[in-house]
Every structure is written in structure tokens, then in C-alpha cells.
Amino acid sequence: MESNVRVRFAPSPTGPLHIGGVRTALYNYLFAKKYNGTFVLRIEDTDQTRYVANAEQYIIDALEWCNIPFDEGPGKNEKFGPYRQSERKELYKEYADKLIETGWAYYCFDSTEALDAERKAHEAEGKTFIYNWHNRAQGRLVNSLVLTDEEVQNKINAGENYVIRFKTPQDQLLRMEDEIRGNIRIDTNTLDDKILFKGDGMPTYHLANIVDDHLMEITHVIRGEEWLPSMPLHVLLYKAFGWDAPKFAHLPLILKPVGKGKLSKRDGDKLGFPVFPLEYTNEVSGDVSRGYKEDGYFSDAFINMLAFLGWNPGTEQELFNLEGLIEAFELKRVSKSGAKFSPDKAKWFNQQYMQTKSDDELTDLYLPLLAEKGITKDKEFVLKVVSSIKERATFVNDFWDLSSFFFETPTEYDAKASKKNWKEGTAELMQELITVISSNKDLSSENTEKEIKEWITAKEIGFGKVMQPLRLSLVGKLAGPHLFDIIAMIGKNETIKRLENAIEKL
């Protein structure tokens, strides 16, 4: 692999960044870093009608949270700047004019009404209207292929609306190579003459994309499958300019968890999971879309999950830190077929990463949640709580449900568990147990367990008759970590208080 690898992520600022876009950014980043290359962010804002003011900053914030920041882009190492296409529009007209001069493009003055009439006429005959070699010079369409140079200039001088179309070669078999999909062959007669430059003075994606990739010295174009139909035009544009084309790699779609088709925000809304990395507020409607960060996902777990949506390392290993992903990533191991998104698998990744986090790090995340509930405890105590519950948690937000009894005395008891485990004679047993605990001078987990088990054995009763009501008294339900760890942490007085409350209420 050449040492000057340069890749780009080129989103349109038309709204929040979908996880499909984040995955494209991730694969570009992994590829660049694997070969000590450069990861470029370019904002493709040629479609001004759909431009959203806060979308660009959202994209940058999302890449930062994912820990895949760009090396070059708006406001950062602007070696080939500017990196917003709206700030480069004069440049594109220059290149569009070059294609006109060399015969690879032509002016079109057709009105919207005239083109609609052509489409309807073709439909009436059971045909599809395509603006290309079939009809571009037949006389019905108004373009510089049938007008004289003087007529063209007069129309331009008169301010008539026009577009510039690419003149697709006729009767050619175009041979292309995709790094993921292999050899691709296209008959140029099936292609239409795409618009390269619009009447509003802005280029279309196709022209701007090619010019920018060339001028920014992009070596590999790694993008979504939806751009695969554009590959023939882009390869032909490189040929028309006399430039070497980059290598292309088209990534598979991320599919719905249920049913067929591409994953969308609607799927997330319906099934209850986010499709954006960060929470996003629509400035116009005020609608708030959920984000993985705000839903409690760790950024490294989110990235690990995304990496496996369309790629695998060829081994059974699933958990990779970012450095491991960089080392393992290869385009040849990216799948051609779509990858079905699984909300449960996303949670699984987060749960796995939960276990790799230090108790200290998780405690620092839990303390603010406790503060919001008005609970103040020293960090050492909370750290012990976190250590005892984290194996059963998927998110830090789960900690409260798993540990509230460490901080608050239960006031309610699980009805089903109470009916099954609090029977005639249970209150008397718990009263005796209070005496055992009261006389115990060493309330460590190990000693308390020893004392209580010896007492149960001496009474010749089943352990369940004591342990289940004891847990119910301390926790309010049959859940929680090791019972004697709970006693050691909440202390003798609180343990006795909870047993007395249970005796009174149950």
C-alpha cells in the first residue's frame, strides 16, 4: 500500500449524521490510520435548499465523540482548503468550462416544461425518457450540440437559464474496479448525460466531488453503496479531465432490524433505539432525536458495534479497541451484502465494555446521577456499590435500579416474592435474626455470613426460610448482589431497621 493514503468523509449538512454515515467515516478513518494516511472532512453543501445551519457542527461533534477526528477539514490543517464546497463554487465553473472546451460537456437550455413534455411523450409509448445520445442531437432538445456557437452565446448573454451536461461516450464498454465488489462492466449507451452545473451557479455533486477529490489528492474513495450507480460517470469524468482516478470502494447498506430495506430514523422511533450518534434538536420543528451518547452508550462500544456492521476480522474475536480495529481493518474483509442492524447486539457491546471500565471511572459517571436525586455519599462507598452491581448493568443509567436500596430504605416490597417467601412464622424468625445481628461485633461480609449460617444450621431449618425473607427485607425484592455484602455496606443499624420495617409491614 502506498504511503500517501488520503481518504475523505464528505457529508452533506442537511441534518443529523445517521449511523450509516458514521460507519462510512469510521471505515475511512481506520483505513487512513492503518496506512499512516490522512483523514479529510469535506462539507458538501452544494444543495443549498436542504442546508441546515447547525448540521456541520453536529458532524464535527459526532466525530469527536466517536474518537475519530479528522486530520484536515474546516478550520483544521487547511492544506487544500477551503473544505466547504459552497466556498469553492467559482472553481467548479472553471472546470465545467474546460469540459465544454474539450467536447466532454455541453450547454442545455431546455425548460422544465419541455422536459416534462418529453417524458410524458415517452411514457405514452411505453418508454423511459433518458437525456443522452439517443436524443441530445435530434433537434427536439435545445442544447449547444444543435445550436451554433453564436446562438449559444446569445442565449447566455440574454440571461436564459441553462445547465451543463456531461456528454457520455457512445458505444463503449466501461471497465471499472471496486475494492470491495471487484470487476464492474457498464455499457455507456445505458447511461444518461448527468447535469454537472446548475443554473443557480452551483455544481452538482458529481462535478464538485470529482474536482475536489482530485485537487485534495484523494487516493481512495470509500463511500456508501448508494453512490455505486454514480461510479461510471465519475470514472468517465476522470478520463475527461485526463486525471488518474482514485481507487473506489462502495460499502454495503445498514439494513432494518425487521423487514427489508435501509435502516431509517423511522425504524429507530418505532422500535425504540437511536440512529444518530448524538442527540439532535431540529431548530425549525423543535423535535428531538435520540442519540447513542445520551442513551448511555460508551463511544468505544458504539464504534466497535459499528465496525462489525459490514466488516469482520476473519476470526471469532468481536471486542476491539480503536487501535485493534485499525490494525485488523482491511477493505477486502468488508462484505458486499447489507448488514442487518441489531439493537440487542448494540446493547451487548455496551454491556461488554461496561465490564472493561474501571470501578473508579464508572463511579465518576454515577456520582452526578446520585446528586440529581439529592443523594450525597462518599466516593469510596459508591465505588463499592458500583463494583457489586456493574456485572448486571448494560448502561450507567441502570445503576440506580440495581442499587437504590444501598442509598434508600425500601418502603415497598415485591408482592409476588412476599406472598411466596413471607409466611407464617417468618416474622418470628426475622425477630430472632435481629438478635443474632445485634450481638455480632464483626459485621464484615465473611463473618456475618458465618454467624447467620451457623444460627440457621443450629435451628435445623432450611436456608431459604431465612435468606429469602432477609433479602426481601433489605432490598424490597429478590434481587441484588451478595446478601452479606449488602449487610456489610449498609451497616448494623440500617440492617436491623429494615428487618423491623419488614416485620411491621409484611
Side-chain angles (χ1 to χ4, degrees), residues 110-132 134-136 138-143 165:
D110 310 284
S111 66
T112 301
E113 294 75 17
L115 291 176
D116 284 342
E118 283 290 332
R119 290 189 186 93
K120 289 176 182 177
H122 277 70
E123 288 171 4
E125 297 179 10
K127 299 176 182 178
T128 300
F129 172 68
I130 301 176
Y131 204 128
N132 66 1
H134 281 287
N135 48 35
R136 63 192 174 201
Q138 298 300 314
R140 295 193 312 276
L141 301 171
V142 185
N143 55 56
R165 288 183 183 269

Side-chain angles (χ1 to χ4, degrees), residues 357-369:
K357 306 293 182 184
S358 71
D359 293 345
D360 192 69
E361 181 181 354
L362 294 174
T363 299
D364 285 341
L365 294 172
Y366 191 24
L367 283 169
L369 300 182

Side-chain angles (χ1 to χ4, degrees), residues 108 335 502:
C108 296
S335 173

Side-chain angles (χ1 to χ4, degrees), residues 245-257:
K247 293 181 179 178
F248 290 92
H250 289 88
L251 308 175
L253 295 175
I254 297 179
L255 304 175
K256 301 170 180 284

Side-chain angles (χ1 to χ4, degrees), residues 91-106:
L91 185 70
Y92 306 124
K93 182 61 166 66
E94 173 189 335
Y95 284 93
D97 289 343
K98 285 184 180 180
L99 292 176
I100 292 278
E101 292 168 12
T102 56
W104 280 96
Y106 58 101

Side-chain angles (χ1 to χ4, degrees), residues 164-182:
I164 297 175
R165 288 183 183 269
F166 184 69
K167 188 179 178 183
T168 308
Q170 186 178 347
D171 299 330
Q172 289 187 16
L173 181 63
L174 187 61
R175 294 177 171 84
M176 303 176 294
E177 183 75 20
D178 187 280
E179 297 295 296
I180 295 170
R181 298 163 192 278

